[in-house]
Amino acid sequence: QPSPSKQPQPKLLVITTMLNVIIVGAGLIGPRHAQSVITNPSTNLLALVDPSPSASSVAKTLNTLYFPSLSALLSATPDIPHPDAAIICTPNHTHVPVALELISHNIHILLEKPISDTITTALPLLQAQQKYPDVKILIGHHRRFNPYITKTKEILESGSLGPIIALSGLWTLYKPASYFTGATEWRRDKTKGGVLSINLIHDVDLLHYLFGPITRVYAEKTLPQRGGPDGNENHTAEEGAAITFRFASGVVGTFVVSDCAPSPWNFEAGTGENPIIPKVGGVGGGFYRVLGSQGSLSVPDLKRWSYDGVEGEKGWNQKLQVEEFEVDEGVPFDLQLEHFVRVLEGGETPRCDAVEGLRALVVVDAVKRAMETEEVVKVESVEEILAKNE
């Protein structure tokens, strides 16, 4: 990284023509992001960057340029335009090194979640954000853009539930044996895989988005089904937990996560967001239940339960009234990219910045420690972590 005095000055981007966007990483999610770039009227897919030779064929199917490295792409300028922005879709442990290289060339970034594989390796990105304040960073927790979550946040902000008291959540789903074999065998390893880092982190980010920072956690492991004394000794990754959360606001919550249970109570089956997981309707209560003093809300069926309009004293001897909400259509990846464009135009601030991305990772780390120590764990704030590492 160049010293602060010699850093190139980031330019303020005023969009008068299409943004030139590159995709870094040609794995499963890279081509999906590429489709969003192709269909967005404000963006042009400039190139695909990936060291694998097979990525060149992926680039051909996307009708875009291919480069084996970012340095190869940059050396091709001025024959091709300098990228305005990049979407990083590389393995988790490479997220920050790739982001730092892009930032040093004044390229705005949309970084796939999680922000990094560990708290320590994530910190240089937040430090770089301070050195390059005009380079925009959006962390790709795309579920913040899901229409079901957008509507949920709208209902919460309307105040119609009254002060929020508590919540409960579920991410319970059955992963097939093939999920842990072949090229993805790493998912068995507790240092690389596990349902907390792979799946729970999504829900933690959404809970932050809806209810604010989590400050304390406690967790108990579920009974092992794949690993453990009676299972595969090579399967060391955690399979699930029952968790309690306390939020800075005073809200408390419970959450059960498991990848060993056939169940419709998970984000994917409830919203239909992931095309490889069939949507299940009419499951009753869904994966989140939010309890307020004036009403309660279930997600994703978006039913609000209250005593609104009931004559006389409100209470359990009265019939609950139910109100159902409609949800607008929308593809989260496309909506996320539209937001990213508006961020670069200066019209919006990042919905999930680097601080928020790290905040989710910190909570997942705290849950893991709570499971191992069987103790309540205080969740450090990102501000405390940054202060200690200045």
Side-chain angles (χ1 to χ4, degrees):
Q1 296 296 306
S3 64
S5 60
K6 295 182 179 180
Q7 292 168 8
Q9 294 301 308
K11 56 186 177 182
L12 179 63
L13 187 61
V14 178
I15 298 176
T16 55
T17 58
M18 287 202 299
L19 291 166
N20 287 307
V21 179
I22 60 172
I23 303 291
V24 185
L28 292 176
I29 203 66
R32 177 62 192 86
H33 279 290
Q35 292 299 327
S36 294
V37 174
I38 291 168
T39 57
N40 189 295
S42 299
T43 55
N44 170 57
L45 183 60
L46 179 65
L48 178 67
V49 179
D50 191 293
S52 173
S54 62
S56 61
S57 62
V58 178
K60 287 181 181 178
T61 64
L62 296 170
N63 195 29
T64 192
L65 299 173
Y66 164 73
F67 294 93
S69 66
L70 181 60
S71 60
L73 183 151
L74 294 174
S75 66
T77 58
D79 295 330
I80 66 168
H82 184 81
D84 296 305
I87 302 177
I88 302 172
C89 311
T90 58
N92 295 351
H93 69 280
T94 69
H95 280 184
V96 171
V98 172
L100 293 177
E101 184 176 5
L102 290 161
I103 291 171
S104 71
H105 289 92
N106 299 329
I107 299 172
H108 305 282
I109 60 172
L110 194 171
L111 174 61
E112 257 296 329
K113 71 86 199 170
I115 187 172
S116 190
D117 57 338
T118 68
I119 296 170
T120 301
T121 57
L123 293 177
L125 181 59
L126 279 80
Q127 294 159 353
Q129 178 75 100
Q130 297 174 349
K131 296 178 182 179
Y132 297 87
D134 291 330
V135 175
K136 305 300 184 183
I137 299 175
L138 176 67
I139 306 301
H141 278 286
H142 68 276
R143 291 184 182 176
R144 292 191 179 209
F145 300 87
N146 187 286
Y148 288 94
I149 297 303
T150 302
K151 178 58 71 171
T152 298
K153 189 166 181 65
E154 179 185 316
I155 295 167
L156 291 173
E157 291 180 344
S158 74
S160 66
L161 301 184
I164 304 303
I165 299 169
L167 61 96
S168 68
L170 291 163
W171 191 90
T172 47
L173 184 149
Y174 187 87
K175 293 178 179 175
S178 58
Y179 181 84
F180 302 97
T181 58
T184 55
E185 191 172 3
W186 59 267
R187 292 168 174 161
R188 296 180 181 180
D189 187 339
K190 68 178 181 180
T191 65
K192 300 175 183 178
V195 70
L196 301 182
S197 297
I198 295 175
N199 305 108
L200 180 67
I201 195 166
H202 278 297
D203 288 287
V204 167
D205 178 69
L206 290 183
L207 295 178
H208 280 162
Y209 183 52
L210 297 172
F211 305 104
I214 294 167
T215 59
R216 195 162 68 226
V217 302
Y218 178 71
E220 292 276 7
K221 298 177 183 178
T222 57
L223 289 171
Q225 303 300 305
R226 302 185 183 95
D230 299 323
N232 185 338
E233 63 180 11
N234 295 321
H235 194 111
T236 58
E238 80 279 344
E239 302 172 25
I243 307 161
T244 61
F245 293 124
R246 174 168 286 276
F247 295 77
S249 63
V251 171
V252 294
T254 62
F255 205 98
V256 173
V257 57
S258 172
D259 61 11
C260 299
S263 158
W265 297 299
N266 55 78
F267 188 94
E268 292 87 341
T271 66
E273 180 181 283
N274 189 332
I276 70 170
I277 299 175
K279 184 177 181 179
V280 180
V283 297
F287 48 79
Y288 295 159
R289 300 179 189 187
V290 184
L291 311 176
S293 62
Q294 301 299 318
S296 297
L297 180 72
S298 52
V299 183
D301 52 357
L302 295 175
K303 292 181 179 180
R304 176 181 175 268
W305 300 88
S306 73
Y307 292 117
D308 288 0
V310 170
E311 295 183 3
E313 184 184 31
K314 297 180 180 180
W316 59 10
N317 59 328
Q318 298 278 14
K319 183 179 180 179
L320 281 164
Q321 306 299 302
V322 62
E323 177 183 6
E324 298 187 42
F325 295 86
E326 296 294 326
V327 177
D328 296 331
E329 295 293 326
V331 179
F333 281 108
D334 296 347
L335 296 171
Q336 179 179 243
L337 183 63
E338 290 172 13
H339 167 71
F340 188 44
V341 170
R342 292 192 295 271
V343 167
L344 301 190
E345 291 174 333
E348 294 182 10
T349 57
R351 189 172 296 183
C352 187
D353 60 14
V355 169
E356 286 297 295
L358 180 57
R359 202 185 304 281
L361 190 63
V362 171
V363 171
V364 170
D365 179 74
V367 172
K368 290 181 178 181
R369 286 187 283 126
M371 288 173 60
E372 295 299 326
T373 63
E374 299 183 355
E375 296 178 350
V376 174
V377 174
K378 177 183 179 293
V379 179
E380 277 192 294
S381 71
V382 172
E383 293 73 18
E384 290 172 328
I385 293 171
L386 290 174
K388 288 195 308 185
N389 287 273
E390 284 183 347

